[in-house]
Amino acid sequence: METMKSARKNDTGDVGSDLSEQIKAATKDNHIRAENTQLMLSYQKGQITLPQYKVLLCSLYEIYKALEEELDRNSSHPAVAPIYFPQELARLESLEQDLEHFFGLDWRKRVIVPAATHRYQQRLRQIGRENPELLVAHAYTRYLGDLSGGQVLGKITQKSLGLSGKEGLSFFLFPGVSSPNRFKQLYRSRMNSIELTEQQREAVLEEAVSAFELNIQVFDDLQKMLSVTTETADQLPTSSSSSFPSSPIMQFTMGVCVALATIGVGIYSL
């Protein structure tokens, strides 16, 4: 609870009562730790391949499917209703378009879900059932992250993959948002208007920290796997095909690596 109390202040003084500012303050250290992982630095340098991006889309699809279904189901909840913007923010349809573009009509049969994504999905389902107000923390970190870092990520991805148009990049586009900056201000204002008890507010701040910590913990676990995967890759026959690596271990690791890296870039630019 001491961490949450410190969220009331920053280096220059009081943060105040705004929930958005308190979340930002509470997750400040997590931002710094995550930004300095090798995965984050690599993605921002444009080191992403088409097979990796395909697995990323699978991961994002599963996460947003859980998040948006729980937001839809709890849309009338007093803590969810103020920040419920399906027409402006929903990502599920755009992800389906991207998956169909890269995988074809049978993309649902080819979705690969890393364990880290599955755990996050389970958490979203749990709080959607038991504590819907905690969805506020996840919606804030995901959607505002997409509107912030997502714009930069779209350009990096397009250049890295050599894509000439916008096909396959629907996830990064928000046709319902004319001005990301103005919309983020509106979103924060709506979010700050949510009435929460002191206990609920503390729980939302804790959930925001937990969301970051989950990613960081998986980063740490992934680093332990990378050396083993690299050795496995060195032993595989060279192929000129751009399809997924045939090894399930390689598919799993690439999915965790890229999905977490990309999810992180958006979140950490809040």
Side-chain angles (χ1 to χ4, degrees):
M1 198 62 70
E2 185 64 30
T3 300
M4 296 304 98
K5 290 180 179 179
S6 67
R8 301 288 195 269
K9 298 182 178 181
N10 58 21
D11 295 339
T12 59
D14 291 340
V15 170
S17 60
D18 286 351
L19 181 60
S20 61
E21 289 300 315
Q22 289 175 357
I23 288 181
K24 185 175 182 180
T27 59
K28 180 179 178 180
D29 291 342
N30 308 82
H31 273 106
I32 296 174
R33 290 170 54 205
E35 285 174 344
N36 287 282
T37 63
Q38 187 58 46
L39 297 181
M40 297 303 307
L41 297 175
S42 295
Y43 194 96
Q44 293 180 72
K45 291 177 181 177
Q47 299 173 353
I48 182 174
T49 65
L50 182 56
Q52 290 173 328
Y53 184 58
K54 289 179 178 179
V55 180
L56 157 68
L57 291 176
C58 294
S59 299
L60 291 176
Y61 173 76
E62 293 297 339
I63 291 172
Y64 275 99
K65 187 173 188 297
L67 175 60
E68 293 181 359
E69 286 181 356
E70 292 306 319
L71 288 173
D72 290 344
R73 194 164 62 85
N74 293 282
S75 60
S76 62
H77 189 280
V80 175
I83 51 92
Y84 183 63
F85 291 95
Q87 294 184 346
E88 293 84 358
L89 297 177
R91 300 288 82 204
L92 201 56
E93 184 176 344
S94 62
L95 284 164
E96 291 175 348
Q97 293 173 0
D98 290 343
L99 287 165
E100 183 175 330
H101 173 74
F102 288 113
F103 287 98
L105 294 176
D106 64 340
W107 63 268
R108 294 180 188 276
K109 298 179 181 179
R110 305 173 65 183
V111 169
I112 300 171
V113 183
T117 300
H118 184 61
R119 289 196 296 272
Y120 190 55
Q121 181 187 44
Q122 287 182 316
R123 179 57 181 168
L124 290 168
R125 297 294 188 189
Q126 179 186 6
I127 63 176
R129 293 190 306 268
E130 301 174 2
N131 305 98
E133 65 275 6
L134 299 185
L135 290 170
V136 173
H138 292 281
Y140 171 79
T141 54
R142 271 260 44 103
Y143 288 127
L144 265 66
D146 294 336
L147 284 171
S148 300
Q151 306 308 298
V152 175
L153 279 175
K155 295 179 180 178
I156 291 176
T157 305
Q158 184 179 36
K159 182 177 180 180
S160 299
L161 301 183
L163 301 176
S164 57
K166 299 298 183 181
E167 290 189 354
L169 298 171
S170 297
F171 172 73
F172 301 108
L173 305 178
F174 289 83
V177 178
S178 58
S179 172
N181 287 334
R182 285 201 296 270
F183 186 84
K184 285 188 291 185
Q185 292 176 357
L186 170 64
Y187 193 95
R188 292 189 182 99
S189 176
R190 291 284 192 89
M191 183 176 171
N192 295 335
S193 72
I194 297 173
E195 295 185 4
L196 298 170
T197 65
E198 186 63 23
Q199 183 178 9
Q200 288 175 326
R201 181 176 291 262
E202 295 293 339
V204 169
L205 296 180
E206 291 283 359
E207 187 67 24
V209 171
S210 295
F212 279 95
E213 279 301 315
L214 176 62
N215 283 296
I216 293 173
Q217 289 169 14
V218 177
F219 282 146
D220 293 339
D221 290 343
L222 179 59
Q223 294 304 321
K224 299 174 183 178
M225 297 171 55
L226 288 178
S227 59
V228 176
T229 305
T230 301
E231 293 175 3
T232 303
D234 290 340
Q235 298 173 10
L236 293 175
T238 302
S239 172
S240 59
S241 172
S242 62
S243 61
F244 284 110
S246 59
S247 167
I249 295 178
M250 287 293 290
Q251 292 177 348
F252 170 81
T253 305
M254 287 173 66
V256 175
C257 174
V258 182
L260 288 176
T262 308
I263 291 169
V265 172
I267 292 175
Y268 305 142
S269 62
L270 288 174

